[in-house]
Amino acid sequence: MRRAVFPGSFDPITLGHYDIIERGLTLFDEIIIAIGINAEKKYMFPLEERTHFIKEAFKDEPKIKVMTYKGLTVDFCKKQQASFILRGLRNPADFEFEKAIAHTNRKMSEIETVFLLTSSGKSYISSSIVRDVIRHGGDVTGLVPDTVKILNK
């Protein structure tokens, strides 16, 4: 089975994430959307709500699992018997950052990182931009899946 882990904080999940996940489904038998827990980070949405957003967005997709984890992503991948890490790239800065992480992960384990470019119409979307729009009472239509919009109107 070709199993991939798509890690992130998903605070909140965006249509950019959704794009990568949907396209990743054509490459993998299963994708684990892995919500990382970082006690040092301040989140806009609690873990339970972020998990709900994602589970609802993919409720009709049997090839998707949603899980949480602490610690190194490669350790989580090993525990889940995932051979791949799926990552999205929006721009050259993402590539440089993600490349360093991918090289480190590869040195630590046999896990391969697979990069997909975010579709051009979604490459500008980031969770930090979405959070800023929400903080200022803006409309997040076209930035996040409906599961996020419904809970934040």
Side-chain angles (χ1 to χ4, degrees), residues 27-42:
L27 303 173
F28 302 104
D29 300 313
E30 181 178 86
I31 296 176
I32 300 170
I33 303 172
I35 306 169
I37 300 169
N38 181 346
E40 305 296 313
K41 195 170 177 181
K42 298 287 184 210

Side-chain angles (χ1 to χ4, degrees), residues 13-29:
I13 186 171
T14 69
L15 288 180
H17 295 128
Y18 193 93
D19 173 62
I20 296 298
I21 295 163
E22 277 195 318
R23 291 172 38 232
L25 287 170
T26 66
L27 303 173
F28 302 104
D29 300 313

Side-chain angles (χ1 to χ4, degrees), residues 37-145:
I37 300 169
N38 181 346
E40 305 296 313
K41 195 170 177 181
K42 298 287 184 210
Y43 297 105
M44 175 176 269
F45 298 96
L47 179 62
E48 297 76 24
E49 199 167 6
R50 288 180 281 145
T51 303
H52 177 76
F53 293 158
I54 298 167
K55 284 184 175 180
E56 281 298 304
F58 292 100
K59 67 183 175 191
D60 296 325
E61 180 48 67
K63 292 170 60 172
I64 297 282
K65 283 185 180 177
V66 181
M67 303 175 81
T68 60
Y69 75 103
K70 291 181 183 177
L72 295 175
T73 302
V74 291
D75 292 338
F76 178 76
C77 290
K78 288 177 190 173
K79 287 178 189 168
Q80 300 307 315
Q81 299 178 327
S83 301
F84 303 93
I85 295 173
L86 177 62
R87 297 297 293 161
L89 299 174
R90 293 173 295 163
N91 54 50
D94 279 357
F95 174 73
E96 290 301 323
F97 178 74
E98 294 290 345
K99 180 178 77 167
I101 294 171
H103 285 310
T104 303
N105 287 341
R106 182 76 175 124
K107 187 164 183 76
M108 294 170 54
S109 69
E110 295 300 311
I111 295 169
E112 290 289 351
T113 301
V114 175
F115 297 111
L116 292 179
L117 298 176
T118 305
S119 297
S120 62
K122 296 176 180 66
S123 63
Y124 66 95
I125 303 171
S126 70
S127 292
S128 57
I129 288 172
V130 170
R131 289 191 304 271
D132 198 44
V133 170
I134 292 169
R135 271 190 212 101
H136 292 92
D139 182 5
V140 294
T141 301
L143 301 175
V144 297

